[in-house]
């Protein structure tokens, strides 16, 4: 029996999401209606997710659960619950019952806890790497051409310099040009400046990029970070959880950077195998490492977890205050905690 358990890791969000969509399409083809759920393990305990897998639904023939932040799935109790779920599936299958629950574990990191990985069949595990440097320009040019547009090489390079190195982010940002220009238009660097710079949508990753600019003082990085934070809070993607999840992903990568690149000795192969394949990302984390030590980055992860708890317990009234305090603790205090009263003063 093929186990309905998958593990997709790595920073290439676009291809990774395509793989998730393929599983969902296959399930819908087999079962018809599928009840879909998305959970973040930084937000929801695995113990709360298991009943969803086991309970099924009255209104759909199957259930598909996607869990992000799979790198956090390492506690013995969580692993044992997953083992028990798998054992129950195997028993049901032997009794001739049809298995209609699917679990897809997702992580931006390259690897997860070894105990978790052992539970997942090799054919159901896949790492999604970012594009190599020599693949990026052809991908952008091809994407525009497929949609009836042309783009100058300098304009394509400018897009690559401004957008995360994953096909999902590139696809989303490049698609914005199709709304603004007629087909057969040739995209120039002025067009890119107009669309992506002046109308850029901020998110947790652009926030991290700003506060990790080692050429600026802490005060300037904090002020610029506050501006971006306010833009995010005014946007449609204004969930504090998404901001915290995104920053946590960045600082976990920074901890990894320190571990594999102590003294700047890591070679290109080591960096790539750990998810730092692009020169843009390597530059970003090299700058971040100049600002925060591994100990400070670890302390910041605790700050993010604490802020997550504070925002949930306080409701929407104090969300912005707690997020601003969090940013101050990250940028100015480098992971040291600060009481809300002290911050307000």
């Amino acid at each position: 029996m093929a186990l309905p358990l998958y593990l997709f890791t790595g920073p290439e969000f676009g291809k990774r999401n395509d793989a998730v969509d393929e599983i969902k399409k296959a399930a819908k083809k087999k079962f018809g209606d599928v009840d879909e759920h998305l959970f973040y393990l930084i937000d929801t305990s695995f113990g709360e997710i298991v009943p969803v897998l086991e309970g099924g639904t009255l209104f759909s023939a199957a259930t598909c659960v996607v869990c992000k932040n799979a790198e956090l799935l390492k506690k013995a109790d969580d692993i044992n619950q997953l083992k028990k779920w798998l054992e129950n599936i195997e028993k049901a299958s032997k009794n001739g019952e049809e298995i209609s629950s699917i679990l897809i574990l997702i992580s931006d990191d390259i690897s997860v806890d070894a105990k978790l990985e052992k539970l997942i069949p090799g054919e159901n595990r896949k790492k999604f790497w970012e594009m190599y440097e020599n693949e990026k320009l052809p991908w952008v040019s091809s994407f525009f051409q497929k949609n009836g547009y042309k783009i100058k090489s300098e304009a394509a390079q400018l897009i690559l310099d401004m957008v995360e190195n994953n096909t999902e982010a590139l696809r989303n940002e490049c698609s914005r040009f199709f709304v603004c220009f007629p087909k057969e238009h040739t995209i120039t660097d002025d067009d890119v400046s107009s669309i992506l710079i002046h109308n850029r949508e901020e998110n947790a990753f652009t926030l991290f990029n700003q506060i990790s600019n080692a050429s600026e003082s802490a005060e300037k990085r904090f002020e610029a970070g506050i501006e971006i934070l306010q833009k995010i809070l005014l946007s449609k993607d204004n969930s504090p959880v998404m901001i915290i999840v995104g920053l946590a992903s960045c600082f976990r990568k920074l901890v990894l950077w320190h571990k594999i690149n102590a003294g700047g000795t890591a070679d290109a192969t080591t960096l790539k195998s750990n998810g730092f394949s692009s020169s843009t990302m390597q530059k970003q984390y090299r700058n971040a490492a100049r600002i925060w030590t591994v100990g400070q980055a670890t302390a910041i992860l605790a700050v993010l977890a604490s802020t997550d708890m504070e925002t949930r317990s306080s409701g929407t009234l104090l969300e912005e205050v707690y997020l601003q305090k969090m940013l101050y603790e990250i940028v100015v205090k480098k992971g040291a905690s600060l009481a809300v009263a002290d911050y307000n003063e």
Side-chain angles (χ1 to χ4, degrees):
M1 178 196 71
L3 287 177
L5 175 61
Y6 301 84
L7 173 65
F8 297 150
T9 60
E12 215 315 292
F13 305 148
K15 293 179 181 178
R16 194 182 69 192
N17 290 343
D18 289 344
V20 172
D21 288 340
E22 285 301 315
I23 294 173
K24 290 180 179 179
K25 287 178 183 177
K28 289 175 182 177
K29 184 176 181 180
K30 180 178 181 181
F31 297 104
D33 292 333
V34 176
D35 192 19
E36 299 181 22
H37 300 267
L38 172 63
F39 297 101
Y40 291 85
L41 288 170
I42 197 172
D43 176 38
T44 306
S45 70
F46 190 68
E48 296 175 73
I49 297 170
V50 173
V52 178
L53 287 165
E54 294 178 335
T57 175
L58 295 174
F59 306 104
S60 301
T63 301
C64 181
V65 174
V66 176
C67 283
K68 294 196 173 184
N69 312 119
E71 69 280 357
L72 301 179
L73 197 58
K74 58 180 69 174
K75 293 179 182 177
D77 186 50
D78 291 339
I79 299 298
N80 288 334
Q81 287 187 79
L82 181 57
K83 282 182 180 178
K84 186 176 179 180
W85 177 69
L86 290 173
E87 289 171 359
N88 290 338
I89 283 178
E90 290 175 346
K91 288 179 183 178
S93 179
K94 287 179 181 178
N95 291 332
E97 298 178 31
E98 188 170 47
I99 305 304
S100 59
S101 292
I102 302 168
L103 176 59
I104 306 172
L105 301 173
I106 303 290
S107 177
D108 295 347
D109 294 349
I110 294 301
S111 59
V112 296
D113 188 85
K115 297 186 295 297
L116 172 61
E117 193 160 341
K118 286 179 181 178
L119 295 176
I120 302 164
E123 64 271 19
N124 288 6
R125 301 193 307 258
K126 187 170 182 180
K127 296 180 181 181
F128 292 86
W129 303 99
E130 293 175 325
M131 287 186 288
Y132 289 105
E133 289 297 318
N134 62 355
E135 295 176 321
K136 296 178 186 178
L137 274 174
W139 189 96
V140 173
S141 298
S142 175
F143 185 78
F144 275 92
Q145 186 176 11
K146 288 176 182 176
N147 286 278
Y149 293 79
K150 297 178 182 178
I151 184 169
K152 292 187 174 180
S153 58
E154 58 268 27
Q157 186 59 57
L158 184 56
I159 290 174
L160 292 169
D161 290 341
M162 296 177 61
V163 180
E164 276 187 274
N165 181 25
N166 70 75
T167 53
E168 180 183 44
L170 284 169
R171 191 182 296 130
N172 290 341
E173 294 299 322
C174 291
S175 295
R176 295 171 63 185
F177 291 87
F178 308 152
V179 179
C180 302
F181 299 101
K183 285 194 174 184
E184 301 300 331
H185 177 80
T186 299
I187 307 299
T188 66
D189 48 357
D190 285 338
D191 296 331
V192 175
S193 178
S194 173
I195 300 301
L196 296 190
I197 295 179
H198 299 304
N199 298 291
R200 183 177 66 169
E201 292 185 7
E202 304 288 4
N203 54 44
F205 299 101
T206 61
L207 175 58
F208 178 76
N209 190 46
Q210 177 59 56
I211 63 176
S212 62
N213 182 2
S215 65
E216 298 283 357
S217 67
E219 289 74 18
K220 287 186 177 180
R221 287 186 287 111
F222 175 65
E223 290 174 4
I226 286 292
E227 289 183 9
I228 293 177
L229 178 62
Q230 290 173 339
K231 287 181 181 179
I232 297 173
L233 292 174
L234 291 171
S235 71
K236 62 180 184 297
D237 300 318
N238 62 354
S239 167
V241 172
M242 295 304 297
I243 297 171
I244 293 170
V245 167
L247 287 176
S249 174
C250 293
F251 279 99
R252 280 195 297 271
K253 282 190 175 184
L254 179 56
V255 170
L256 177 61
W257 175 274
H258 276 292
K259 290 179 179 178
I260 66 172
N261 198 39
T265 57
D267 57 26
T269 301
T270 300
L271 292 175
K272 177 186 177 301
S273 65
N274 283 278
F276 301 98
S277 57
S278 73
S279 59
T280 301
M281 179 176 282
Q282 290 173 20
K283 180 181 178 181
Q284 182 182 42
Y285 281 90
R286 193 173 291 113
N287 282 333
R290 289 167 55 192
I291 298 172
W292 298 286
T293 66
V294 64
Q296 289 168 340
T298 302
I300 286 169
L301 288 172
V303 166
L304 290 164
S306 174
T307 305
D308 182 52
M309 294 177 61
E310 289 171 336
T311 55
R312 291 177 195 284
S313 61
S314 67
T316 58
L317 186 62
L318 291 176
E319 277 181 355
E320 187 169 355
V321 173
Y322 282 122
L323 289 171
Q324 289 180 353
K325 179 175 85 70
M326 173 195 76
L327 200 60
Y328 186 83
E329 290 173 339
I330 292 172
V331 179
V332 179
K333 304 293 287 184
K334 294 188 175 182
S337 61
L338 181 73
V340 175
D342 295 335
Y343 175 71
N344 286 335
E345 290 174 2

